[in-house]
Amino acid sequence: MEEIRFKNKVAVVTGAGGGLGKAYALLLAARGARVVVNDLGGTFDGSGADATPAQQVVDEIKAAGGEAVPNYDSVADWDSAQNIIKTAIESYGQIDILINNAGILRDKSLLKMELEDYRKIMSVHLDGTFYCTKAAFAPMKEQAYGRIVSTASAAGLYGNFGQANYGAAKMGIAGMMNCVAQEGARYNIKANTIVPTAGTRLTFTVMPEDVIGKIKPEFVAPIVAWLCSEQCQETAKMFSAGGGYFSRAAVVEGEGYIFDSDKEITIEMISEKIEQIMDLKGAREFASAMEQAGTVMSKMIAQ
Ligand code: NAI
């Protein structure tokens, strides 16, 4: 198979000063992309700022013969997020790839979670992804090419104790990419979501040391890079990756049960049919909300 390369491509990777983002930036640069290495450089809970991590990754890329520039802006503010994308345009004249990866944690059980913990997580993850995507979308549309990969989490897809803030933001990101994918379809802009598992400073505290060593960020990077490639024609998809495991995750809807909507539908009727309503045998994915609505309409008409 021909080697997949990123010749003449410019990538922005947010939160690329360490962990997963660093692995993505190094891989893309090694395959020929010019990379904006963005990182605010704060602590894992979002306090502080430090230019060192982004600069170090840029130095590492350059030492290996690649091209990169640092950017130290926060994704969580509209002006500074625009500046991240502007760095790509001003340094390299274009942006082809955006990896929304920057992230922090503020885990607490619901009752102990301060509103600030909720808002901070929403602003870095959900707002940050929206701001960077919005800023990158215009030049991508203009050149009729773009690859966007955003970062969700199993905590959002499946739930996790103490992560109501993070889970909400992460599932919101998956929903955002579903919509961005539709808007990008006409312009060859693909938008997908990665659901990673890796040993990084975000997981050091919750995973045993021997497991951490086996789930290096480098094991997630190949599928993220593939999603950033010209070869990738997938869009609006979610992929789980970690420790050598790769799989697609999806939202599906069951066949369901349809009542006669000319008559009253009571709570007891729901109770009686709950097993059929819950049954996922024959469940399917929908390519859009319109397709789902059309399917429900046809069931109503057929009923
Ligand atoms: P990490 O802490 O090593 O990397 C995150 C980077 O984002 C840090 O370098 C940090 O300085 C940067 N950052 C934080 N806030 C920022 C802001 N406002 N603007 C710019 N940069 C900022 O953590 P890791 O694990 O590499 O996380 C990467 C992404 O993957 C995050 O979105 C995280 O939520 C997600 N994730 C990670 C999982 C894992 O197993 N490590 C599991 C599921 C999701």
Side-chain angles (χ1 to χ4, degrees):
M1 185 189 265
E2 207 186 320
E3 195 181 40
I4 293 178
R5 297 201 60 86
F6 298 90
K7 194 168 175 265
N8 301 326
K9 295 286 186 276
V10 175
V12 169
V13 186
T14 71
L20 286 156
K22 177 180 176 182
Y24 305 156
L26 292 179
L27 182 56
L28 291 179
R31 292 297 182 99
R34 288 163 289 165
V35 183
V36 175
V37 177
N38 158 265
D39 207 294
L40 177 66
T43 58
F44 84 99
D45 69 355
S47 47
D50 179 4
T52 319
Q55 187 58 54
Q56 276 176 348
V57 173
V58 167
D59 294 345
E60 200 172 325
I61 289 173
K62 285 186 172 166
E67 276 190 67
V69 286
N71 170 283
Y72 317 111
D73 282 299
S74 171
V75 297
D77 170 85
W78 173 228
D79 288 338
S80 59
Q82 287 181 90
N83 206 42
I84 299 171
I85 307 303
K86 219 192 283 169
T87 302
I89 308 288
E90 283 172 1
S91 307
Y92 301 124
Q94 66 198 71
I95 171 169
D96 307 287
I97 294 163
L98 168 65
I99 304 178
N100 288 307
N101 165 80
I104 57 165
L105 281 180
R106 295 246 176 142
D107 293 0
K108 278 195 185 104
S109 61
L110 188 60
L111 295 182
K112 290 189 181 134
M113 187 178 288
E114 301 292 341
L115 292 183
E116 178 56 16
D117 298 323
Y118 171 77
R119 292 190 184 120
K120 185 80 185 166
I121 287 293
M122 291 311 246
S123 87
V124 172
H125 290 274
L126 195 60
D127 298 354
T129 298
F130 178 77
Y131 295 153
C132 293
T133 303
K134 182 175 163 63
F137 199 86
M140 286 181 175
K141 179 181 169 187
E142 192 72 26
Q143 69 191 6
Y145 185 85
R147 296 288 181 268
I148 300 167
V149 181
S150 297
T151 310
S153 165
L157 267 65
Y158 309 117
N160 201 21
F161 189 94
Q163 294 195 314
N165 51 357
Y166 182 75
K170 288 308 203 184
M171 202 56 179
I173 288 170
M176 193 191 305
M177 287 306 109
N178 285 341
C179 298
V180 170
Q182 297 220 355
E183 295 190 28
R186 279 191 290 162
Y187 310 109
N188 193 15
I189 301 172
K190 315 287 185 202
N192 291 291
T193 302
I194 186 76
V195 183
T197 306
T200 67
R201 68 175 189 173
L202 287 193
T203 44
F204 274 146
T205 51
V206 290
M207 285 183 188
E209 219 170 284
D210 54 329
V211 176
I212 293 272
K214 290 199 175 78
I215 51 166
K216 296 190 175 78
E218 288 76 11
F219 294 135
V220 180
I223 192 163
V224 170
W226 180 77
L227 290 168
C228 293
S229 71
E230 270 181 31
Q231 283 81 355
C232 171
Q233 294 302 309
E234 298 299 338
T235 195
K237 303 285 190 313
M238 292 188 284
F239 294 91
S240 287
Y245 166 77
F246 299 93
S247 181
R248 188 159 80 84
V251 173
V252 297
E253 193 162 315
E255 285 280 329
Y257 181 87
I258 187 140
F259 295 100
D260 182 351
S261 54
D262 285 334
K263 297 190 189 126
E264 188 195 4
I265 301 169
T266 64
I267 310 173
E268 290 69 30
M269 286 161 74
I270 300 290
S271 180
E272 207 174 40
K273 294 291 179 201
I274 197 65
E275 281 194 13
Q276 276 160 278
I277 293 169
M278 297 230 332
D279 191 4
L280 283 181
K281 189 152 51 69
R284 55 167 291 199
E285 288 177 70
F286 292 101
S288 67
M290 298 310 282
E291 188 181 272
Q292 190 266 1
T295 305
V296 174
M297 288 293 174
S298 355
K299 278 183 199 285
M300 279 168 65
I301 293 160
Q303 203 267 338

